[in-house]
Amino acid sequence: MIVAKRKPFDEIKDFLKDYKKVLTAGCGTCVAVCLAGGEKEVSVLNAELDMARRLDNKPIELGAITIERQCDREYLEALDSMVEGYDAVLSLACGAGIQFLAERYPEKPVFPGVDTTFIGVNQDVGWYEERCRSCSSCVLGMTAGICPVTMCAKGLYNGPCGGTNKGSCEISKDQPCAWYMIYERLSKQNRLDNILKITPVQDWQNQKPRTVIQPGYKTSENSAEK
Amino acid sequence: MKSESNLEKVLSAGHFAFTGELGPPRGTNAEEVRKKAAFLKGNVDAVNITDNQTAVVRMSSWAASLILIQEGLEPNFQMVCRDRNRLAMQSDILGASAHGIKNMLCLSGDHQSFGDHPMAKSVFDIDSIQLIGMVKQMRDEGTFLSGNKLDEPPKMFIGAAANPFAEPYEWRALRLAKKIAAGADFVQTQCIYNMDRFREFMKRAVDMGLTEKCYILAGVTPLKSVGMAKYMAGSVPGMDVPDELIERVKGAGKGKAAEEGIKIAVEQIQEFKEMEGVAGVHLMAIEWEHRVPEIAKMAGVLPRPVV
Amino acid sequence: MRLDYPSNIKIIRVPCTGKVDVMHLLRAIQKGADGVYAVGCLEGACHYNEGNLRARERVNHVRRLLEEIGIEGDRVRMYNLSSGEGPTFAAYAREMAENIKMLGPNPLKKH
Ligand code: SF4
Ligand code: SF4
């Protein structure tokens, strides 16, 4: 899932300083699971904003809604009738959701309430770890299911580097060395030959905006060459 | 000859090579480079010029390399993958070669979090093994990484680093083989303190036939003090300093630690001269350039061959 | 046993402090309470293992949130005691009341 962190309160408050009626829009998918932008986080943030603005003698009227997914038109539609009545929208969705919302209401100022942080896993309630940088050419098959792009501090394709330190990465004793783990796991699976050959230079595919059209879903509208 | 560099000539003539190291200044002080170079001149075959070592900004490696050439020394131009993408790397390689730089050491580079700009965005467009391959392609095929032809290939003697002490040990010789397969002509190792482990590593390299394909220079850094020994042992990733060695430096007594450190280094160099597969020594006497002449003399590696 | 504790405290019973949510605490302050505190079992003695530890985390979180807004975080506290410790309960209540007296009324009341 996509993991996000709530933005510092002062930053959010500053975004909204000139608005009197704001809709806080949560997203019920990734950011809700990682406890950053779901229904509950919307009500906490609104309570904070309400109190802070009262203390400033500049009361604010706040609406709240959490839709299933802000990155999907089908669900965004539910906002159409609401957004009109507000001066601005504060979205707690991930960066993609916020943009999709802003795109739908181009006249309306839209602000981010979270910092979108990574694609990761749920280690425990409230504890998430990054696992993928969406490089567009996954090498997990070669690396025993451990991502060198994300988990190696230098994103090496032919690791480990000389800094690997008894299983830890050179950057910190608390950071496991991805390539040490890759070596260990491949070695146990008798697949070390995977990394004996040189992995050639990558064709980076994440250096410009990407579009995916799944096979069988081409239309005259979406198939313009990108 | 791949590069006609002095280092290549010394090694291919079968001499025991001896290389030094110099860290560029944190400013434009070219005099400092010249001063350090003076201690090395005539005592080493080539001098490694570090590239923003430990991710701290310094005068660029190729620029300091040029000062060395002016002073009549041969630089070994270090390049890390942290700070440049493939475009910048290739253009710097062309420029370096055009100015007479003939040796290059290809490194990953310390992570930026160690340095003076810890929040910098690192590059790592390609890694050190891919860099080795790229330089080789430029030199031997006369093409850029893209495959396009280049006008006058850069004649570089290609170096790589090896750390015989980082776990998993079984991987170390395999990784060395990978670097050689990518195109490394010579290898300089991490500072060696654990001689037992290094002997094992060399035996493995010899058995695998790696020393036939590539020159291995053993890395030596004299311990200046007990503090330095402990720091190396505890805080430098991938470094292996056995306790006996720390004890030995300690045992030398007050004011004598540095002499003991030099003595240890000299003994090491003497053993490397005899060790199968070791083609030379890379002496990294960081901020201790002025002691290089006496170390070279004591180790019996002078005079340096003229080839 | 008649326990002597300040009468201006309104007690809300929950099965476990683990049930106490950030929003409950925040809402109390938002609605004008001068302070709010959670009283849980001793740490290590939670019937649900770590309900009271989670409650403490949440209390700390709410304290931080309030500070961000400009309201004293110390209006929200967590106390622990074992069941049947009536006098301690009363002592904590007095302590909390003292604390609030020092802090003065909820600043939101003026707005
Ligand atoms: S290699 Fe890593 S970054 Fe690329 S897709 Fe796979 S997991 Fe994601
Ligand atoms: S120590 Fe391991 S994880 Fe860290 S940069 Fe080197 S190879 Fe990558």
Side-chain angles (χ1 to χ4, degrees), chain B residues 167-228:
Chain B
E167 291 175 52
Y169 300 129
E170 320 80 67
W171 176 246
R172 302 334 307 186
L174 298 175
R175 179 160 168 82
L176 175 61
K178 242 179 130 167
K179 291 194 170 180
I180 295 170
D185 301 310
F186 70 100
V187 159
Q188 293 171 319
T189 77
Q190 169 76 288
C191 324
I192 300 159
Y193 296 107
N194 186 336
M195 290 297 275
D196 288 339
R197 179 131 285 143
F198 185 68
R199 285 184 204 107
E200 272 168 47
F201 172 78
M202 280 313 299
K203 187 170 176 319
R204 189 83 207 281
V206 170
D207 290 346
M208 286 171 68
L210 300 179
T211 52
E212 303 284 312
K213 298 182 198 146
C214 172
Y215 302 106
I216 297 181
L217 276 59
V220 173
T221 293
L223 295 169
K224 294 188 211 180
S225 62
V226 180
M228 173 179 170

Coordinates of all heavy atoms in Angstrom, one line a residue, chain B residues 167-228:
Chain B
E167 N 31.7 -9.3 5.4 CA 30.9 -10.6 5.3 C 29.9 -10.4 4.2 O 29.4 -9.3 4.0 CB 30.3 -10.9 6.7 CG 31.3 -11.3 7.7 CD 30.7 -11.5 9.1 OE1 29.7 -12.2 9.2 OE2 31.1 -10.8 10.0
P168 N 29.5 -11.5 3.6 CA 29.9 -12.9 3.7 C 31.3 -13.1 3.0 O 31.5 -12.6 1.9 CB 28.8 -13.7 3.0 CG 28.2 -12.7 2.1 CD 28.3 -11.3 2.7
Y169 N 32.2 -13.7 3.8 CA 33.6 -13.9 3.2 C 33.6 -14.6 1.9 O 34.4 -14.3 1.0 CB 34.5 -14.6 4.3 CG 34.6 -13.8 5.6 CD1 34.3 -14.4 6.8 CD2 34.9 -12.5 5.6 CE1 34.4 -13.7 8.0 CE2 35.0 -11.8 6.7 CZ 34.7 -12.4 7.9 OH 34.8 -11.7 9.1
E170 N 32.8 -15.7 1.8 CA 32.8 -16.5 0.6 C 32.5 -15.7 -0.6 O 32.8 -16.0 -1.7 CB 31.7 -17.6 0.7 CG 31.6 -18.3 2.1 CD 30.7 -17.5 3.0 OE1 29.5 -17.4 2.7 OE2 31.2 -17.0 4.0
W171 N 31.8 -14.6 -0.4 CA 31.4 -13.7 -1.5 C 32.5 -12.9 -2.0 O 32.5 -12.4 -3.2 CB 30.2 -12.9 -1.1 CG 29.7 -11.9 -2.1 CD1 29.8 -10.5 -2.1 CD2 29.1 -12.2 -3.4 NE1 29.3 -10.0 -3.2 CE2 28.8 -11.0 -4.0 CE3 28.8 -13.4 -4.0 CZ2 28.3 -10.9 -5.3 CZ3 28.2 -13.3 -5.3 CH2 28.0 -12.1 -5.9
R172 N 33.5 -12.6 -1.2 CA 34.5 -11.6 -1.5 C 35.3 -11.9 -2.8 O 35.4 -11.1 -3.7 CB 35.5 -11.4 -0.4 CG 35.0 -11.0 1.0 CD 33.7 -10.2 1.0 NE 33.6 -9.0 0.1 CZ 32.6 -8.2 0.1 NH1 31.6 -8.4 0.9 NH2 32.6 -7.2 -0.7
A173 N 35.8 -13.2 -2.9 CA 36.5 -13.5 -4.1 C 35.6 -13.6 -5.3 O 36.0 -13.2 -6.5 CB 37.2 -14.9 -3.9
L174 N 34.3 -14.0 -5.1 CA 33.4 -14.0 -6.2 C 33.1 -12.6 -6.7 O 33.0 -12.4 -7.9 CB 32.0 -14.7 -5.7 CG 32.1 -16.1 -5.3 CD1 30.8 -16.6 -4.7 CD2 32.6 -17.0 -6.4
R175 N 33.0 -11.7 -5.8 CA 32.8 -10.3 -6.2 C 34.0 -9.7 -7.0 O 33.9 -9.0 -8.0 CB 32.5 -9.4 -5.0 CG 32.3 -8.0 -5.3 CD 31.5 -7.3 -4.2 NE 31.5 -5.8 -4.4 CZ 30.6 -5.2 -5.1 NH1 29.7 -5.8 -5.8 NH2 30.7 -3.9 -5.2
L176 N 35.2 -10.1 -6.5 CA 36.4 -9.7 -7.2 C 36.3 -10.3 -8.6 O 36.6 -9.5 -9.6 CB 37.6 -10.3 -6.4 CG 39.0 -10.0 -7.1 CD1 39.3 -8.5 -7.2 CD2 40.1 -10.7 -6.3
A177 N 35.9 -11.5 -8.8 CA 35.8 -12.1 -10.1 C 34.9 -11.3 -11.0 O 35.1 -11.1 -12.2 CB 35.4 -13.6 -10.0
K178 N 33.8 -10.8 -10.4 CA 32.8 -10.1 -11.1 C 33.4 -8.8 -11.6 O 33.2 -8.3 -12.7 CB 31.7 -9.7 -10.1 CG 30.3 -10.3 -10.6 CD 29.2 -9.9 -9.6 CE 28.0 -9.3 -10.3 NZ 26.8 -9.3 -9.5
K179 N 34.2 -8.1 -10.8 CA 34.9 -6.9 -11.2 C 35.9 -7.1 -12.3 O 36.0 -6.3 -13.2 CB 35.5 -6.2 -10.0 CG 34.5 -5.7 -9.0 CD 35.1 -4.7 -7.9 CE 34.0 -4.1 -7.1 NZ 34.4 -3.2 -6.1
I180 N 36.6 -8.2 -12.2 CA 37.5 -8.5 -13.2 C 36.8 -8.8 -14.5 O 37.2 -8.3 -15.6 CB 38.4 -9.7 -12.8 CG1 39.3 -9.3 -11.6 CG2 39.3 -10.1 -14.0 CD1 40.0 -10.4 -10.9
A181 N 35.7 -9.6 -14.4 CA 34.9 -9.9 -15.6 C 34.4 -8.6 -16.3 O 34.3 -8.5 -17.5 CB 33.8 -10.8 -15.3
A182 N 34.1 -7.6 -15.4 CA 33.6 -6.3 -15.9 C 34.7 -5.6 -16.7 O 34.4 -4.7 -17.5 CB 33.0 -5.5 -14.8
G183 N 35.9 -5.8 -16.3 CA 37.0 -5.1 -17.0 C 38.1 -4.5 -16.1 O 38.9 -3.8 -16.6
A184 N 38.2 -4.8 -14.8 CA 39.2 -4.3 -14.0 C 40.6 -4.8 -14.4 O 40.7 -6.0 -14.5 CB 38.9 -4.6 -12.5
D185 N 41.5 -3.9 -14.6 CA 42.9 -4.3 -14.9 C 43.7 -4.5 -13.6 O 44.6 -5.3 -13.5 CB 43.6 -3.2 -15.7 CG 42.9 -3.0 -17.1 OD1 42.6 -4.0 -17.7 OD2 42.6 -1.8 -17.4
F186 N 43.4 -3.7 -12.6 CA 44.0 -3.8 -11.3 C 43.1 -3.5 -10.2 O 42.0 -2.9 -10.4 CB 45.3 -2.9 -11.2 CG 44.9 -1.4 -11.1 CD1 44.9 -0.7 -9.9 CD2 44.6 -0.6 -12.2 CE1 44.6 0.6 -9.8 CE2 44.3 0.7 -12.1 CZ 44.3 1.3 -10.9
V187 N 43.4 -4.0 -9.0 CA 42.5 -3.9 -7.9 C 43.4 -3.4 -6.7 O 44.5 -3.9 -6.5 CB 41.9 -5.3 -7.6 CG1 41.4 -5.4 -6.1 CG2 40.8 -5.6 -8.5
Q188 N 42.8 -2.5 -6.0 CA 43.5 -2.1 -4.7 C 42.5 -2.5 -3.6 O 41.3 -2.2 -3.7 CB 43.7 -0.5 -4.7 CG 44.7 -0.1 -5.8 CD 44.8 1.4 -6.0 OE1 43.8 2.1 -6.0 NE2 46.0 1.9 -6.1
T189 N 43.1 -3.1 -2.6 CA 42.2 -3.6 -1.5 C 42.0 -2.6 -0.4 O 42.8 -1.6 -0.3 CB 42.7 -4.9 -0.9 OG1 43.8 -4.6 0.0 CG2 43.2 -5.9 -1.9
Q190 N 41.0 -2.8 0.3 CA 40.7 -2.1 1.6 C 42.0 -2.2 2.5 O 42.7 -3.2 2.3 CB 39.5 -2.8 2.3 CG 39.2 -2.4 3.7 CD 38.5 -1.1 3.7 OE1 39.2 -0.1 3.5 NE2 37.2 -1.1 4.0
C191 N 42.2 -1.3 3.4 CA 43.3 -1.4 4.3 C 43.3 -2.8 5.0 O 42.3 -3.2 5.6 CB 43.3 -0.4 5.5 SG 42.7 1.2 5.0
I192 N 44.5 -3.4 5.0 CA 44.6 -4.8 5.6 C 45.2 -4.7 7.0 O 46.2 -4.1 7.2 CB 45.5 -5.7 4.7 CG1 44.8 -5.8 3.3 CG2 45.6 -7.0 5.3 CD1 45.8 -6.2 2.2
Y193 N 44.5 -5.3 8.0 CA 45.0 -5.4 9.3 C 45.0 -6.9 9.7 O 45.9 -7.4 10.4 CB 44.3 -4.6 10.3 CG 44.4 -3.1 10.0 CD1 43.4 -2.4 9.5 CD2 45.7 -2.4 10.2 CE1 43.5 -1.0 9.2 CE2 45.8 -1.1 9.9 CZ 44.7 -0.4 9.4 OH 44.9 0.9 9.1
N194 N 43.9 -7.6 9.3 CA 43.8 -9.0 9.6 C 44.5 -9.8 8.5 O 44.0 -10.1 7.5 CB 42.3 -9.3 9.7 CG 42.1 -10.8 10.1 OD1 43.0 -11.6 10.0 ND2 41.0 -11.0 10.7
M195 N 45.8 -10.1 8.8 CA 46.6 -10.8 7.8 C 46.2 -12.2 7.5 O 46.2 -12.7 6.4 CB 48.1 -10.8 8.2 CG 48.8 -9.4 8.2 SD 48.9 -8.7 6.6 CE 50.4 -9.4 6.0
D196 N 45.7 -12.9 8.5 CA 45.2 -14.3 8.3 C 44.1 -14.3 7.3 O 44.1 -15.1 6.3 CB 44.6 -14.9 9.6 CG 45.8 -15.2 10.6 OD1 46.9 -15.3 10.1 OD2 45.5 -15.2 11.8
R197 N 43.1 -13.4 7.5 CA 42.0 -13.4 6.6 C 42.4 -13.0 5.2 O 41.9 -13.5 4.2 CB 40.9 -12.4 7.1 CG 39.8 -12.3 6.2 CD 38.5 -12.4 7.0 NE 38.1 -13.7 7.4 CZ 37.6 -14.0 8.5 NH1 37.3 -13.1 9.4 NH2 37.3 -15.3 8.8
F198 N 43.4 -12.1 5.1 CA 43.9 -11.6 3.8 C 44.6 -12.8 3.1 O 44.4 -13.0 1.9 CB 44.8 -10.4 3.9 CG 45.2 -9.9 2.5 CD1 44.3 -9.3 1.7 CD2 46.5 -10.0 2.1 CE1 44.6 -8.9 0.4 CE2 46.9 -9.6 0.8 CZ 45.9 -9.0 0.0
R199 N 45.4 -13.5 3.8 CA 46.1 -14.7 3.2 C 45.0 -15.7 2.6 O 45.2 -16.1 1.5 CB 46.9 -15.4 4.3 CG 48.2 -14.7 4.6 CD 49.1 -15.5 5.6 NE 49.9 -14.5 6.3 CZ 49.8 -14.2 7.6 NH1 48.8 -14.7 8.3 NH2 50.6 -13.3 8.1
E200 N 44.0 -15.9 3.4 CA 42.9 -16.8 2.9 C 42.3 -16.2 1.6 O 42.1 -17.0 0.6 CB 41.8 -16.9 3.9 CG 41.9 -17.9 4.9 CD 40.9 -17.7 6.0 OE1 39.7 -17.5 5.7 OE2 41.3 -17.7 7.2
F201 N 42.0 -14.9 1.6 CA 41.4 -14.3 0.5 C 42.3 -14.4 -0.8 O 41.9 -14.8 -1.9 CB 41.2 -12.8 0.8 CG 40.8 -11.9 -0.4 CD1 39.5 -11.9 -0.8 CD2 41.7 -11.1 -1.0 CE1 39.1 -11.1 -1.9 CE2 41.3 -10.3 -2.1 CZ 40.0 -10.3 -2.5
M202 N 43.6 -14.2 -0.6 CA 44.6 -14.3 -1.7 C 44.7 -15.7 -2.2 O 44.8 -15.9 -3.4 CB 46.0 -13.8 -1.3 CG 46.1 -12.3 -1.3 SD 45.5 -11.4 -2.7 CE 46.5 -12.2 -4.0
K203 N 44.6 -16.7 -1.3 CA 44.7 -18.1 -1.7 C 43.5 -18.4 -2.6 O 43.7 -19.0 -3.7 CB 44.7 -19.0 -0.5 CG 45.0 -20.4 -0.8 CD 45.3 -21.3 0.4 CE 45.4 -22.7 0.0 NZ 44.5 -23.2 -1.1
R204 N 42.4 -17.9 -2.2 CA 41.2 -18.1 -3.0 C 41.3 -17.5 -4.4 O 41.0 -18.1 -5.4 CB 40.0 -17.5 -2.2 CG 38.6 -17.8 -2.7 CD 38.1 -19.2 -2.3 NE 37.1 -19.7 -3.2 CZ 35.8 -19.3 -3.3 NH1 35.4 -18.4 -2.4 NH2 35.0 -19.8 -4.2
A205 N 41.8 -16.3 -4.4 CA 41.9 -15.5 -5.6 C 42.9 -16.2 -6.6 O 42.7 -16.3 -7.8 CB 42.4 -14.1 -5.4
V206 N 44.0 -16.7 -6.0 CA 45.0 -17.5 -6.8 C 44.4 -18.7 -7.4 O 44.4 -19.0 -8.5 CB 46.3 -17.8 -6.0 CG1 47.2 -18.7 -6.7 CG2 47.0 -16.5 -5.6
D207 N 43.7 -19.5 -6.5 CA 43.0 -20.7 -6.9 C 42.0 -20.5 -8.0 O 41.9 -21.4 -8.9 CB 42.3 -21.4 -5.7 CG 43.3 -21.9 -4.7 OD1 44.5 -22.0 -5.0 OD2 42.9 -22.3 -3.5
M208 N 41.3 -19.4 -7.9 CA 40.3 -19.1 -9.0 C 41.0 -18.6 -10.2 O 40.2 -18.3 -11.2 CB 39.3 -18.1 -8.4 CG 38.3 -18.7 -7.4 SD 37.3 -17.5 -6.6 CE 36.3 -16.9 -8.0
G209 N 42.3 -18.4 -10.2 CA 42.9 -17.9 -11.4 C 42.8 -16.4 -11.6 O 43.1 -15.8 -12.7
L210 N 42.3 -15.7 -10.6 CA 42.0 -14.3 -10.7 C 43.3 -13.4 -10.8 O 43.3 -12.4 -11.5 CB 41.2 -13.7 -9.5 CG 39.8 -14.4 -9.4 CD1 39.1 -13.8 -8.1 CD2 39.0 -14.2 -10.6
T211 N 44.4 -13.9 -10.2 CA 45.6 -13.1 -10.2 C 46.3 -13.2 -11.5 O 47.2 -12.5 -11.8 CB 46.6 -13.6 -9.1 OG1 46.7 -15.0 -9.2 CG2 46.0 -13.3 -7.7
E212 N 45.8 -14.1 -12.4 CA 46.4 -14.2 -13.7 C 45.8 -13.1 -14.6 O 46.3 -12.7 -15.6 CB 46.0 -15.5 -14.4 CG 46.4 -16.8 -13.6 CD 47.9 -17.0 -13.8 OE1 48.3 -17.0 -15.0 OE2 48.6 -17.2 -12.8
K213 N 44.6 -12.7 -14.2 CA 43.8 -11.8 -15.1 C 43.9 -10.3 -14.6 O 43.4 -9.4 -15.3 CB 42.3 -12.2 -15.1 CG 42.1 -13.6 -15.6 CD 40.6 -13.9 -15.6 CE 40.3 -15.3 -15.7 NZ 39.1 -15.7 -14.9
C214 N 44.4 -10.1 -13.4 CA 44.3 -8.8 -12.8 C 45.4 -8.6 -11.8 O 45.8 -9.6 -11.1 CB 42.9 -8.7 -12.2 SG 42.6 -7.3 -11.2
Y215 N 45.9 -7.4 -11.7 CA 47.0 -7.2 -10.7 C 46.3 -6.8 -9.3 O 45.5 -5.9 -9.3 CB 47.9 -6.0 -11.1 CG 48.5 -6.3 -12.4 CD1 48.1 -5.6 -13.6 CD2 49.6 -7.2 -12.5 CE1 48.7 -5.8 -14.8 CE2 50.2 -7.4 -13.8 CZ 49.8 -6.7 -14.9 OH 50.4 -6.9 -16.1
I216 N 46.7 -7.4 -8.3 CA 46.1 -7.1 -7.0 C 47.1 -6.4 -6.1 O 48.2 -6.9 -5.9 CB 45.6 -8.4 -6.3 CG1 44.5 -9.0 -7.1 CG2 45.1 -8.0 -4.9 CD1 43.9 -10.2 -6.5
L217 N 46.8 -5.2 -5.7 CA 47.6 -4.4 -4.8 C 47.0 -4.4 -3.4 O 45.8 -4.1 -3.2 CB 47.7 -2.9 -5.4 CG 48.7 -2.6 -6.5 CD1 48.5 -3.4 -7.7 CD2 48.7 -1.1 -6.8
A218 N 47.8 -4.8 -2.5 CA 47.4 -4.9 -1.1 C 47.3 -3.5 -0.4 O 48.3 -2.8 -0.5 CB 48.3 -5.9 -0.3
G219 N 46.2 -3.2 0.2 CA 46.1 -1.9 0.8 C 46.7 -1.9 2.2 O 46.5 -2.7 3.0
V220 N 47.5 -0.8 2.5 CA 48.1 -0.7 3.8 C 47.9 0.8 4.3 O 48.1 1.7 3.5 CB 49.7 -0.9 3.7 CG1 50.4 -0.6 5.0 CG2 49.9 -2.4 3.2
T221 N 47.5 0.9 5.5 CA 47.4 2.2 6.2 C 48.0 2.1 7.5 O 47.6 1.3 8.4 CB 45.9 2.6 6.4 OG1 45.3 2.8 5.1 CG2 45.8 3.9 7.2
P222 N 49.1 2.8 7.7 CA 49.8 2.7 9.0 C 48.9 3.3 10.1 O 48.3 4.3 9.9 CB 51.1 3.5 8.8 CG 51.0 4.2 7.5 CD 49.8 3.6 6.7
L223 N 48.9 2.6 11.2 CA 48.2 3.1 12.4 C 49.0 4.2 13.1 O 50.1 3.9 13.4 CB 47.9 1.9 13.4 CG 47.0 0.9 12.8 CD1 46.9 -0.4 13.7 CD2 45.5 1.4 12.6
K224 N 48.4 5.4 13.3 CA 49.1 6.5 13.8 C 49.1 6.5 15.3 O 49.9 7.0 16.0 CB 48.5 7.8 13.4 CG 48.6 8.1 11.9 CD 48.2 9.5 11.6 CE 47.6 9.6 10.2 NZ 47.1 10.9 9.9
S225 N 48.0 5.9 15.9 CA 47.9 5.9 17.3 C 46.9 4.9 17.8 O 46.2 4.2 16.9 CB 47.3 7.3 17.7 OG 46.0 7.4 17.1
V226 N 46.8 4.7 19.1 CA 45.9 3.7 19.6 C 44.4 4.1 19.3 O 43.6 3.3 18.9 CB 46.0 3.5 21.2 CG1 45.1 2.5 21.7 CG2 47.5 3.1 21.5
G227 N 44.2 5.5 19.4 CA 42.9 6.0 19.1 C 42.5 5.7 17.7 O 41.3 5.2 17.5
M228 N 43.4 5.8 16.8 CA 43.1 5.6 15.4 C 42.7 4.1 15.2 O 41.8 3.7 14.5 CB 44.2 6.0 14.5 CG 44.0 5.5 13.0 SD 45.4 6.1 12.0 CE 45.1 5.2 10.5

